[in-house]
Amino acid sequence: MHTVCFPKLGLEFHLNPVVFSIGDFQLNWYGVLIGVGILLAMWMGFSNCKRFGIIGDKLVDVVLAGIIGGIVGARLYYVAFRWEDYKDDLSLIFRTWEGGLAIYGGIIGAFLVGGICARIRKVKVPAVMDLAAMGFLIGQGVGRWGNFVNGEAFGCNTDLPWGMTGDRIAYYLANSTHVTGTAVDPTAAVHPCFLYESIWCLIGFGLLFWYSRHRRFDGEIFLMYLGWYGLGRVFIEGLRTDSLMLGNLRVSQLLAGILVAASLITWLVIRSKIKSSNDPEYLKCYGQTEAFQQELADYEQLLKEKEEKKQARKAARKGAAAPAGETPAGAASDEGAPAEEGAAEETSAEETSEEKREEEE
């Protein structure tokens, strides 16, 4: 249990980072909030996938791969730049519920692994990246509140009305060897950087979700995400006192600045090519093409055929299981019934096996 206060607002929160514990297992709010963010992102993604030219069933594998890649990437990125904290006890690397996930590592891991899976499942990678970008903004906007519960992700001193302080904050500033930036008074209020980033991400999601209905090419939302999030991170990271460092440089701030410039240049170049082409079909979003409409129609026809086969198999099994003395429809006589019943059972077994194979496909 620890305390977080907003002195000028007259707010004080007594927070327990642990939801509950059973023996050595404990569920932390940090993980719960990240999980909620992921679920909201998935709901948004599956609700809008057809608009982006993606069939939902194919997206499932991509999402699962992206989540795994994101978690692994976020942890490895953090550990790489805080190696001195883990080199003597490698088991600490797996204690992700205690915090220590780097957003940019998660972005890299999720897009890398998810992108590979998208290619395997023959899904348009740029379209998936657009959808995932908006999902990331939701996940980051919600997940940052896990930092609040843990009493982390704060900045240097401030006199602003929403400045915060707390026992964990004061202890970290007074004792940690990782404090970055200018000298900080552990007893004074600091910037709630988690709040700044949460608000910035949620505003970004609203803007990009609105613009997604007007995007001109697949991958455009992803480029805008890199620019929007990077721009906010450049300033927010400059306030933080717990930045990951590469020499005298804040790693995330440097990477954010590079991505802002790269995304803006790439967006301008592609837009320029589209304009100069004078062709409304040039780089047209896949979800708006006849090719996707045909792919969608073929997929829906396949589902329809599978459902018809399933219903036919159920009807056949129902007929084969008719009570003794009753002749199933289509039977010529009672003679030879045992043989017909045996054949029906064999057919039913074959159909069941075929049904399982279809479901696996």
Side-chain angles (χ1 to χ4, degrees), residues 37 46 67 73 94 96 100 109 116 121 128 143 192 199 245 250 256-257 265 286 325 353:
F46 285 109
I67 290 174
F94 302 98
T96 56
I116 292 173
R121 293 290 282 143
V128 170
I199 293 173
M245 303 296 291
R250 298 171 186 263
I265 292 171
Y286 182 64
S353 176

Side-chain angles (χ1 to χ4, degrees), residues 81 177-182 237-238 240 243-255:
F81 291 102
T177 58
H178 296 303
V179 176
T180 55
T182 58
E237 192 67 26
R240 289 182 63 165
S243 298
L244 298 176
M245 303 296 291
L246 182 61
N248 294 322
L249 298 174
R250 298 171 186 263
V251 178
S252 294
Q253 190 177 39
L254 175 63
L255 182 57

